[in-house]
Amino acid sequence: MRQLEHCQTAIACLIAAVEKRGFVMMARMTMVQALAAGQPETAPTPRNPAKKYRIIS
């Protein structure tokens, strides 16, 4: 059911953008969210630790 809500919002934003009443970027973001709504979240990739620097005064 949640997937359907995302699709309806995306289509509404897309129609608004086509009719020059909405933003194209908003339509794009909602389409990407609707396509990714049913997929599980990916695990974050591990980051390298920060390098240590000495402050020379």
Side-chain angles (χ1 to χ4, degrees), residues 5-56:
E5 294 172 5
H6 285 290
C7 289
Q8 288 176 341
T9 304
I11 291 170
C13 288
L14 186 62
I15 291 171
V18 169
E19 293 177 349
K20 305 289 187 198
R21 294 183 293 122
F23 297 107
V24 176
M25 184 56 83
M26 180 65 77
R28 182 186 183 281
M29 289 188 299
T30 55
M31 288 299 285
V32 169
Q33 287 179 349
L35 291 172
Q39 299 175 355
E41 292 186 27
T42 58
T45 57
R47 298 178 67 181
N48 295 335
K51 294 181 181 179
K52 296 180 182 178
Y53 291 99
R54 277 190 336 190
I55 298 176
I56 300 173

